[in-house]
Amino acid sequence: MVWFTVFLAVLIAAAYHRATLRTTAVALGAALALYLLFGSSFGTFALLLLAGAAVFVPLSVPALRMEWLTRPAFNLFRRVLPEISPTERIALDAGTVWWDGELFSGRPDWMRFLAFPKPRLSDEEQAFLDGPADEFCRMLDEWRITHEERDLPAEAWRFLKDRRFFGLIIPKRYGGLEFSAYAHSCILARIASGPGGATAASIVAVPNSLGPAELLLHYGTEAQKDHYLPRLASGEEIPCFALTSPWAGSDAAAIPDRGTVCLGNWKGRETLGMRLTFDKRYITLAPVATVVGLAFRLYDPEKRLGGREDLGITCALIPRDTPGLEIGARHLPLDNPFMNGPVRGRDVFVPLDCIVGGAAMAGQGWRMLMECLAVGRAISLPSNSTGQALAAAHFSGAYARIRRQFGLPIGQFEGVQEALARMGARAYAAESLRRFTALAVDLKERPSVPSAIAKHWCTEFAQETAKLAMDVHAGKGVMLGPSNWIARNFQGSPIAITVEGANILTRNLIVFGQGALRCHPYTRAEIEAVRDANPARGLERFDEAFWAHAGHVLSNAARSLVLGVTGGLLSFAPVHGPTREHYQRINRYSADLALLADAALALLGGRLKSRERLSARLGDALSMLYIASSVLKRHEDEGRPQEELAFVHWVCADCFHRIEQAMDGLLRHLAPRWAAFALRLLVFPLGRRAAPPRDETGTDIAQALQDPDFRLSAARFHSEEPRHAAGLLQTTLRRLREAEPLERRLHAAQREGLLREAQAFDRIGEALGKGLLTGDEARQLRELHDLVQQVIQVDEFAPGRLAPAAGAPRVTSGGETEYA
């Protein structure tokens, strides 16, 4: 009993305090005092005291600790430490640590979390969202864009330029709109959820994301800013940014495109410049771009710039009319006609002034890209994907209420409800992720890890939602034509999965790979200490970080065990009510993640870098913690609305289930097995307990999506015009609700044998003739019938009407093959 008291005292002290050598010693001292008071013999106490002294004297005397303990650990750490390349170091230095650091710490600071401001639009931003952004959506026709013109119509391009859509992030002094990151995100989500959203949102996103404007704002010379930014804001210049090459996709740092510093002729004068050779592909807006942002490796063999020969990756701006630049050809990404194509050049000469930031920034391109990508990746793809997920969820909910089979709306069948629940929850999670991560940018963070999480999971959620929408719509979704409002998003969903860091790369290498070094409270300091050029100073720095790290591990081990036994219910939560348990479970899983991350790093060292499946599982746990946090933040920001509780519960339950699944998978494959067994006892002392979302919660979500008054997000494009899918479905859904008493009257009459017509439309006339409906009521039902017919109809085309796409082969009547 006494030994249990000693153990329990140490365990609780370590679990509920940030453990250091001092707090651990105090805890043991308290336990020893308890034993002295209640123990059975002084001799046992003396032995216990000597054992404690044997441990704590070396720890407490700096000279002994440094020589006996720290130096061996220092040498071991140096041997197992993975090599960090210069490009990896730049990537690690490029971003900042935000809420992801709190989740990685094992002890999230919830008061800091609640102190984050609610993302808000200014009056000017709200007016733009409800004005030009909505107007732009209303002028688009997806079938015209995707099948007839293979581009936005000319009037849409003019509108984008006139209303300065390409200058959302450019300061007003240069003619831009200077909107917040949150406004930028809302505008993209609005466009993406409207007609032709996949094409239109991509065109608007690129100039405001990783492109010349973003690079110029942060690194450009004043002359470059004054020349380009006003032209970019007005749309006089259309930018693109060329990074990917056939030989360097995800491994962007390995680009073979090169430039050589040399003298050359520029506009009739001998000028010091660069001769560039490059081959780029997949470049959005390239076919229509007037200025090309180009990434290449710059060499200075004659050392004209006074430095080394290999200057490194460099970014430059190349005007479209530069001799030797090949541009204008198009790719067709999954038949989605947003402008995308290759950019090539051989021995293209441009002056050094074309380098973003001038000659002084030669070789600084990788740092530029990493810093800007952390911001751009937090906005563009999360916003575009979220907009498409919101539209798919709302369209499917409305369609499931309108479409009837077996005498019932298909939304009443549990199989359809299950699909709707997943769609609604995924769209809600994506919207929460979008808002939370955009907030980080507005707080002047460069959220490298959160942006990777948001990009990965928003695009995954959008793809899953698109697939489920196809399942719910069935044949309606399969038949392409002007009446199909979901197939193009489904068709194009893999594009977002692939670009700006393919999701396989992001999940397996970036989220935890960068998170472990960037977010961990001590690992980075230990690495810097080991790399210190002064060994004595490095050992001192390592001693400080290492023993703080040891206390951190002890605290999280104890915390994992205590919170695992109690389900986190004894930990701090900043709120009371139905979401309190979610905060407490995040506390538990945060401690588990911190413990398992340290264990994996200690057991595998540099090998963890190549054990991508293990790294991915740890990244999944971090991602799910971040997603659950974003959902709770949104719920708090909106005043804890009761109608959203089902979405919060579903997403959090799903996140916790996935976390335990990821951690279980890690422990099943971690070696040595005795270590994995010990860790399992700490992390899952009572076994895996997190269950998937409840069916009843899913039913609540499915019913909400079928309610015409429910809106998942104000960012979604909303219309009352029947010529738009959103307007047709919304109008039909409202009319359906208004007509429900009349429909129930007809169904009752049919059951009683008063109505015998088999077709719904014919029953209306029969009921009118028998006095069961008034003339106005019959007219109301006929108008509803016409709307329903519009909703469920599919398109058909006369022979020869479907012209082949440009470049498609066709066989002539003479048997010869020609191309359109």
Side-chain angles (χ1 to χ4, degrees), residues 43 68 88 138 154 157 186 193 213 272 323 328 344 348 351 377 440 544 597 604 610 720 752 756 816 819:
W68 292 0
E88 288 176 316
R138 286 194 295 270
W157 277 102
C186 288
S193 65
L272 183 62
R344 299 185 182 94
V348 177
R377 189 162 52 187
E544 180 179 355
L604 296 174
S610 61
E720 297 291 342
E752 293 171 7
R756 299 186 178 277
E816 298 178 352
Y819 293 86

Side-chain angles (χ1 to χ4, degrees), residues 364-448:
Q364 299 299 309
W366 187 246
R367 177 171 65 86
M368 294 180 185
L369 295 175
M370 290 301 98
E371 291 179 349
C372 289
L373 185 61
V375 174
R377 189 162 52 187
I379 304 297
S380 297
L381 286 171
S383 306
N384 292 2
S385 298
T386 295
Q388 292 172 27
L390 290 169
H394 273 286
F395 290 171
S396 299
Y399 186 79
R401 177 63 186 86
I402 295 166
R403 176 66 165 161
R404 299 177 71 92
Q405 290 290 279
F406 307 102
L408 294 171
I410 63 172
Q412 291 188 21
F413 293 97
E414 289 193 0
V416 174
Q417 288 180 354
E418 182 179 6
L420 291 177
R422 298 186 73 85
M423 295 173 69
R426 297 294 187 232
Y428 187 88
E431 170 67 0
S432 304
L433 261 178
R434 175 191 75 82
R435 292 170 51 152
F436 194 45
T437 310
L439 172 65
V441 177
D442 280 329
L443 294 177
K444 309 305 180 186
E445 301 286 347
R446 297 193 306 276
S448 295

Side-chain angles (χ1 to χ4, degrees), residues 381-704:
L381 286 171
S383 306
N384 292 2
S385 298
T386 295
Q388 292 172 27
L390 290 169
H394 273 286
F395 290 171
S396 299
Y399 186 79
R401 177 63 186 86
I402 295 166
R403 176 66 165 161
R404 299 177 71 92
Q405 290 290 279
F406 307 102
L408 294 171
I410 63 172
Q412 291 188 21
F413 293 97
E414 289 193 0
V416 174
Q417 288 180 354
E418 182 179 6
L420 291 177
R422 298 186 73 85
M423 295 173 69
R426 297 294 187 232
Y428 187 88
E431 170 67 0
S432 304
L433 261 178
R434 175 191 75 82
R435 292 170 51 152
F436 194 45
T437 310
L439 172 65
V441 177
D442 280 329
L443 294 177
K444 309 305 180 186
E445 301 286 347
R446 297 193 306 276
S448 295
V449 174
S451 69
I453 293 172
K455 185 271 172 184
H456 175 208
W457 288 102
C458 283
T459 57
E460 291 286 342
F461 290 161
Q463 187 178 48
E464 182 182 352
T465 303
K467 177 192 175 298
L468 290 168
M470 292 292 289
D471 290 347
V472 171
H473 284 75
K476 167 73 176 179
V478 171
M479 299 301 164
L480 287 176
S483 301
N484 190 321
W485 46 70
I486 61 165
R488 288 295 184 178
N489 283 347
F490 168 76
Q491 192 174 18
S493 61
I495 299 172
I497 297 287
T498 302
V499 299
E500 288 191 20
N503 281 3
I504 290 178
L505 167 77
T506 301
R507 177 175 177 263
N508 285 274
L509 296 179
I510 294 178
V511 174
F512 180 76
Q514 289 196 10
L517 296 181
R518 190 192 302 278
C519 302
H520 196 286
Y522 303 109
T523 300
R524 191 74 184 274
E526 291 167 331
I527 292 174
E528 296 300 331
V530 168
R531 301 296 187 206
D532 197 315
N534 184 327
R537 182 179 59 197
L539 185 62
E540 290 181 5
R541 293 171 60 191
F542 184 81
D543 179 73
E544 180 179 355
F546 178 76
W547 291 109
H549 192 165
H552 173 75
V553 172
L554 173 63
S555 176
N556 283 318
R559 194 168 168 81
S560 290
L561 180 58
V562 172
L563 298 184
V565 171
T566 63
L569 298 181
L570 297 181
S571 64
F572 172 74
V575 302
H576 294 278
T579 62
R580 179 179 178 83
E581 180 185 352
H582 300 323
Y583 290 89
Q584 293 172 320
R585 294 182 72 177
I586 289 176
N587 288 337
R588 174 197 171 180
Y589 295 127
S590 174
D592 292 341
L593 172 64
L595 175 65
L596 291 175
D598 276 320
L601 288 167
L603 294 170
L604 296 174
R607 289 180 296 143
L608 182 58
K609 192 173 180 180
S610 61
R611 296 292 303 276
E612 295 175 19
R613 293 185 182 93
L614 300 185
S615 176
R617 291 179 176 113
L618 289 165
D620 287 347
L622 177 60
S623 296
M624 292 302 113
L625 288 171
Y626 185 79
I627 292 169
S629 298
S630 70
V631 165
L632 293 173
K633 179 67 169 66
R634 174 184 176 180
H635 190 61
E636 288 297 312
D637 285 344
E638 296 185 353
R640 307 180 191 176
Q642 184 69 26
E643 63 271 17
E644 292 184 7
L645 265 179
F647 294 85
V648 176
H649 291 327
W650 199 103
V651 174
C652 286
D654 183 63
C655 286
F656 301 150
H657 181 67
R658 287 181 179 226
I659 288 170
E660 290 201 0
Q661 192 173 36
M663 292 179 176
D664 179 64
L666 173 75
L667 293 171
R668 286 178 182 273
H669 297 89
L670 191 64
R673 297 306 301 152
W674 64 264
F677 178 77
L679 288 167
R680 184 176 292 277
L681 292 179
L682 294 172
V683 173
F684 297 126
L686 303 180
R688 287 179 56 183
R689 306 296 295 274
R694 295 180 59 83
D695 289 348
E696 296 85 352
T697 307
T699 299
D700 291 341
I701 294 174
Q703 290 174 348

Side-chain angles (χ1 to χ4, degrees), residues 183-234:
H184 176 191
S185 177
C186 288
I187 292 166
L188 291 180
R190 177 69 57 89
I191 295 171
S193 65
T199 299
S202 298
I203 289 171
V204 175
V206 168
N208 294 291
S209 179
L210 179 58
E214 182 81 15
L215 293 172
L216 287 169
L217 283 171
H218 290 90
Y219 313 106
T221 65
E222 291 304 313
Q224 289 171 337
K225 293 177 183 178
D226 291 339
H227 175 79
Y228 279 113
L229 290 179
R231 290 171 170 80
L232 291 169
S234 67

